Amino acid sequence: QTAKTSRHQGFSLSAYLQRRVHRLVPPYLLALTLTVALDFAGRHLWPVLYSAQTGDALLDANFARKGFSAASVWPALLMLPSSLGMDFGSNGPLWSLGYEVVYYAVYPIWLLMRRRSAGLAYGSVVVIGVVTQFTYQLGFIGNVLGHYHLWIAGAGLAEVACLPQKRFSWEWGGAALLVTAGILSLKAIPLAGLFAGIALGLGLVMLAGSLLMR
């Protein structure tokens, strides 16, 4: 639910949470179950690989942080996989779900700010993105906050999509963002990469969206 539509239709926190749980929990539990089953077979078929003793530095470093210890199981059960530095079994990509859970949890707070002021809502996210570029030593939290600007950019894109087509051109907007991303990527200035990544992602999505709208 975007900030724009919520101003007219209201926002129900309970309904929002029910939708998020319905969307995330069933596939997540399935992923956990499949991981346990496949890893059970994998440990018997490739014990050297799972014990991180292949002799390949990249493989061993990767599998050294995988397993079913307390540091991996408990965070995964709380839907915050890899938050303590250990992956749940061999399923490393589950880390993205932990990020998503945090983003969905704080979204109602951001939405409240957005209903008061667009500048305050989007400006605060930019500030967080800038600050966390220098605080990655915070580990999981630092990484989550450091990528929040990319996630919340989707809310901004949804608002743009709600504008009358005569007021906005997806093709020109996307092209302009791609040019901006290219220019920023060439500039050796602090935080240029931060904004280049945002511009590149939004530009690609907008150009793809323009094709679907034809």
Side-chain angles (χ1 to χ4, degrees):
Q1 185 174 19
T2 65
K4 183 174 182 177
T5 58
S6 69
R7 288 199 297 270
H8 300 286
Q9 301 176 0
F11 177 77
S12 170
L13 181 60
S14 61
Y16 167 79
L17 293 176
Q18 288 175 7
R19 290 195 301 271
R20 294 307 92 200
V21 169
H22 181 266
R23 178 184 182 275
L24 295 175
V25 172
Y28 182 70
L29 293 179
L30 176 62
L32 294 185
T33 302
L34 289 176
T35 300
V36 172
L38 293 174
D39 280 350
F40 178 80
R43 286 179 178 276
H44 286 80
L45 295 174
W46 301 286
V48 175
L49 175 65
Y50 275 79
S51 61
Q53 296 178 355
T54 65
D56 184 286
L58 181 59
L59 276 177
D60 290 346
N62 197 344
F63 273 82
R65 66 186 305 272
K66 301 180 182 300
F68 295 98
S69 64
S72 65
V73 173
W74 284 111
L77 293 178
L78 296 175
M79 297 190 73
L80 293 173
S82 304
S83 58
L84 295 182
M86 292 293 293
D87 295 335
F88 181 81
S90 62
N91 199 337
L94 275 179
W95 66 264
S96 61
L97 197 284
Y99 283 43
E100 194 171 358
V101 167
V102 175
Y103 295 155
Y104 280 135
V106 301
Y107 182 68
I109 300 174
W110 180 89
L111 185 59
L112 178 62
M113 290 193 295
R114 173 62 187 90
R115 296 176 69 176
R116 295 177 179 273
S117 168
L120 173 63
Y122 288 105
S124 64
V125 173
V126 172
V127 171
I128 291 173
V130 171
V131 171
T132 52
Q133 294 300 303
F134 307 100
T135 56
Y136 275 97
Q137 67 270 20
L138 293 177
F140 176 75
I141 294 299
N143 281 310
V144 171
L145 295 178
H147 291 86
Y148 187 53
H149 59 280
L150 299 174
W151 190 86
I152 211 65
L157 190 59
E159 290 198 56
V160 171
C162 292
L163 293 175
Q165 290 302 301
K166 63 181 180 180
R167 292 179 53 191
F168 182 78
S169 169
W170 282 67
E171 292 88 348
W172 285 107
L177 284 169
L178 291 182
V179 171
T180 300
I183 294 174
L184 288 174
S185 64
L186 296 175
K187 298 292 185 180
I189 57 178
L191 303 177
L194 171 70
F195 296 103
I198 297 175
L200 176 61
L202 288 178
L204 291 174
V205 171
M206 289 170 65
L207 287 177
S210 69
L211 296 176
L212 296 175
M213 292 180 180
R214 291 181 177 177

